[in-house]
Amino acid sequence: MADQPKQPPTRRSAKIGRIRIGLNVVVQIVLVLFLAAMVNSLAFKHYKRWDFSRDQKYALSDKTKRFLDTLKDKMRITVFFSPSTPISADVQNLLAEYQYAGKGKIDIEQIDPERNLSRAKELFDKYKVVTDESLLVLDYDGRNKTVKASEMADVDQSGMALGEGPRIAAFKGEQAITSAMIDLVEGKKKTLGYVTGHKEPPLSAPTSPVSLLKTFIENENIKFQELNLLDQPSISADVNAVMIVGPQYDFSDREMQVLRDFWDKQGRIVVFVDPSANTPRLRAFLDEVGVKVNDDRLMVFVRTGIQELAITRDVQARFLGDSPITKRLADVRAILVGGTASITLDPNRGRAVNIRLEPLIHAEKGYFAETDYNSDNQVKLQADAQKAGDVPLTIAASAEKGGSADARVQVNSSRLVAVSNATFVQDTAIMQDQAALDFVSGAVNWLLSREQMIGIAPKIPKPLTFSLDSEALRRLRWIVLVLMPLIPAAIGTVVWWQRRV
């Protein structure tokens, strides 16, 4: 049977076919646009930032990130910065990190007070700003606080006489901004009672040896209050914790009773003991808690020559990472200058009164605790060092009475931190080692049940330098004078030869 000839498509069917092709193209375009919009929307809302810079100038600390996670309401930050301010770019980059870490809880408005005069005046009137200095205004839950540019950087102007501009010695933007945020969110400042009356380092003197410590703690929304235990029958309920730093004279029986009553009522205490001071009553109180400060000194022999040994009393210590106080400092090393005694923890005594004891700082291997610490007999000291062995020596510990071993369970408790070195937190030591401030910050925040606030240090610019010895300089000279000119010469010779051939 012969095949029937195909009928040519009618005009109507051809038109329907074109419509279908057109619809198909339109649908494809719509789908592509939809997918592009969806991908961009997801990328805008869900993205990840990494900081690969050498000094990580704008990377936020874990302390700030943990605090931002606790925000319940939105925080508005208004930036009144002139472009000529030296740290303007640093602040903008840092605030971008805050906005990212805040996960939608940080709103930022940038205002140039020199150009947008009407908006600047409106907000100046609203927040009662009376300074011309560049600043930030933080607004949270109806409360506001300003952070000035001068509070966010240490500026070195020593080169001004030579015609050089000011140099940023240290950028403290995160420290200042997070401190202001804590102040706004918490509202009322925590009070730390600083015990006086026993020749402790003065707190408010212009040349106070603990001025850096005071400034650092106050930046964490904590208020210092001088506390004389001899003047009052009990420690006020407004005092959240008590700090004792290197008393040179012992406490009276009455003062010790006030301190014991505070401890028994879920008080919080941090003690820096001066081993050279005669304070038997204070040490007896620590012994009752299970923290015994021994009458000895930590020493170590160091080799100064082929057959020469010298003894040093400055202790190289290591922070332990098992406690929330020192978790962020795990395995960090620090130097404790001056005399340091060993601490013996008595877990049996602690268990008997429901006290959990935990070491915080150990001396490095090689140190020994010498009871005859005034002796100059090198032979005897070396023999004592050999007898001591490699037993870990504790020089700081914590005690908690009535708390829970589970960090997730919040239970009211008495807390205490003891350190067997009183110069550890003084300016002369802190200027050499930032770890001391971080430790005190961790200890105080743990005492105040603010574990999420433990750890921020200023970002100090680190210039990139290269040190070349004479041999390296000689090799560099040959590379610059011989090798580098030879490379284009060799390429030119090859090209000329190919063209010639």
Side-chain angles (χ1 to χ4, degrees), residues 338-440:
T340 304
S342 66
I343 290 178
T344 301
L345 302 182
D346 188 348
N348 294 326
R349 176 173 294 187
R351 281 193 292 269
V353 289
N354 192 24
I355 294 178
R356 291 187 297 109
L357 303 173
E358 197 162 17
L360 301 177
I361 307 178
H362 276 173
E364 291 281 37
K365 289 184 178 181
Y367 283 87
F368 64 99
E370 178 58 57
T371 54
D372 190 12
Y373 44 82
N374 290 322
S375 174
D376 294 328
N377 189 337
Q378 292 279 350
V379 176
K380 178 184 181 303
L381 295 178
Q382 290 185 38
D384 292 343
Q386 293 176 353
K387 292 178 184 177
D390 291 331
V391 179
L393 297 173
T394 302
I395 52 184
S398 66
E400 184 172 16
K401 179 180 179 181
S404 172
D406 190 343
R408 297 170 298 178
V409 180
Q410 297 296 323
V411 179
N412 291 331
S413 61
S414 302
R415 291 181 173 182
L416 179 141
V417 175
V419 183
S420 60
N421 183 296
T423 60
F424 180 51
V425 293
Q426 295 189 15
D427 291 359
T428 52
I430 287 176
M431 291 176 67
Q432 304 297 324
D433 197 342
Q434 174 72 27
L437 282 180
D438 292 334
F439 171 78
V440 176

Side-chain angles (χ1 to χ4, degrees), residues 12-307:
R12 184 172 180 274
S13 61
K15 184 177 181 180
I16 292 174
R18 287 195 299 271
I19 292 174
R20 287 177 179 174
I21 294 173
L23 287 175
N24 190 25
V25 172
V26 171
V27 170
Q28 289 179 5
I29 294 174
V30 170
L31 286 175
V32 169
L33 292 176
F34 173 75
L35 289 174
M38 184 175 67
V39 169
N40 278 277
S41 177
L42 290 174
F44 181 77
K45 296 178 181 178
H46 305 281
Y47 59 93
K48 186 71 175 176
R49 295 169 64 95
W50 290 275
D51 186 353
F52 296 108
S53 60
R54 184 172 57 91
D55 53 3
Q56 296 198 339
K57 190 174 184 179
Y58 310 116
L60 297 181
S61 64
D62 290 339
K63 173 180 176 179
T64 295
K65 293 176 182 177
R66 291 194 303 275
F67 171 75
L68 293 176
D69 288 338
T70 65
L71 289 179
K72 296 180 180 179
D73 299 321
K74 278 202 171 188
M75 179 171 293
R76 181 178 181 81
I77 302 178
T78 308
V79 184
F80 297 96
F81 260 73
S82 169
S84 59
T85 306
I87 61 171
S88 179
D90 291 334
V91 172
Q92 289 183 11
N93 292 327
L94 181 63
L95 290 177
E97 297 299 324
Y98 272 92
Q99 200 165 26
Y100 171 69
K103 301 175 183 177
K105 297 178 182 177
I106 305 291
D107 287 339
I108 298 176
E109 181 182 3
Q110 302 274 354
I111 296 178
D112 185 347
E114 297 177 1
R115 294 186 176 182
N116 198 342
L117 298 178
S118 58
R119 179 61 175 161
K121 185 178 185 306
E122 176 188 347
L123 293 177
F124 279 4
D125 293 339
K126 176 182 178 181
Y127 295 120
K128 306 296 189 293
V129 176
V130 294
T131 178
D132 293 333
E133 183 180 355
S134 294
L135 51 82
L136 308 178
V137 177
L138 281 64
D139 190 320
Y140 181 82
D141 197 22
R143 302 185 297 272
N144 64 81
K145 186 176 180 64
T146 61
V147 181
K148 299 179 181 178
S150 57
E151 299 172 2
M152 290 186 274
D154 289 337
V155 181
D156 181 10
Q157 298 183 350
S158 58
M160 296 290 284
L162 302 176
E164 300 177 359
R167 183 180 64 86
I168 305 301
F171 182 59
K172 304 184 296 183
E174 182 187 357
Q175 191 178 27
I177 294 172
T178 300
S179 173
M181 286 182 172
I182 297 170
D183 196 353
L184 280 180
V185 173
E186 293 187 348
K188 184 179 179 182
K189 289 179 178 289
K190 299 287 186 179
T191 301
L192 181 62
Y194 184 86
V195 175
T196 61
H198 316 91
K199 207 176 179 180
E200 293 87 355
L203 186 65
S204 55
T207 57
S208 171
V210 291
S211 60
L212 291 177
L213 172 68
K214 180 176 181 291
T215 301
F216 188 81
I217 295 298
E218 287 178 341
N219 282 340
E220 300 199 339
N221 197 36
I222 298 172
K223 178 179 66 175
F224 269 107
Q225 176 180 314
E226 292 191 355
L227 190 64
N228 192 328
L229 301 180
L230 202 60
D231 292 344
Q232 46 194 329
S234 63
I235 295 176
S236 171
D238 294 335
V239 177
N240 304 104
V242 169
M243 175 178 283
I244 303 172
V245 179
Q248 298 301 297
Y249 299 101
D250 202 11
F251 288 57
S252 67
D253 291 333
R254 184 175 179 279
E255 288 176 305
M256 289 310 309
Q257 187 58 49
V258 172
L259 197 62
R260 284 189 175 90
D261 291 343
F262 179 71
W263 165 258
D264 291 336
K265 295 177 181 177
Q266 300 175 350
R268 311 296 174 90
I269 305 171
V270 56
V271 184
F272 294 89
V273 178
D274 185 346
S276 63
N278 184 24
T279 54
R281 294 187 184 90
L282 179 60
R283 295 193 183 200
F285 165 69
L286 296 176
D287 197 7
E288 294 170 10
V289 176
V291 181
K292 182 180 180 181
V293 179
N294 300 309
D295 185 18
D296 57 28
R297 297 292 186 277
L298 269 59
M299 304 178 183
V300 68
F301 279 98
V302 294
R303 190 171 298 278
T304 59
I306 298 177
Q307 293 182 336

Side-chain angles (χ1 to χ4, degrees), residues 442-468:
V444 171
N445 281 304
W446 179 73
L447 293 175
L448 298 174
S449 299
R450 302 196 310 174
E451 283 84 355
Q452 77 278 8
M453 296 310 304
I454 295 176
I456 306 174
K459 304 291 178 64
I460 300 175
K462 300 176 182 177
L464 184 60
T465 58
F466 295 95
S467 298
L468 300 176

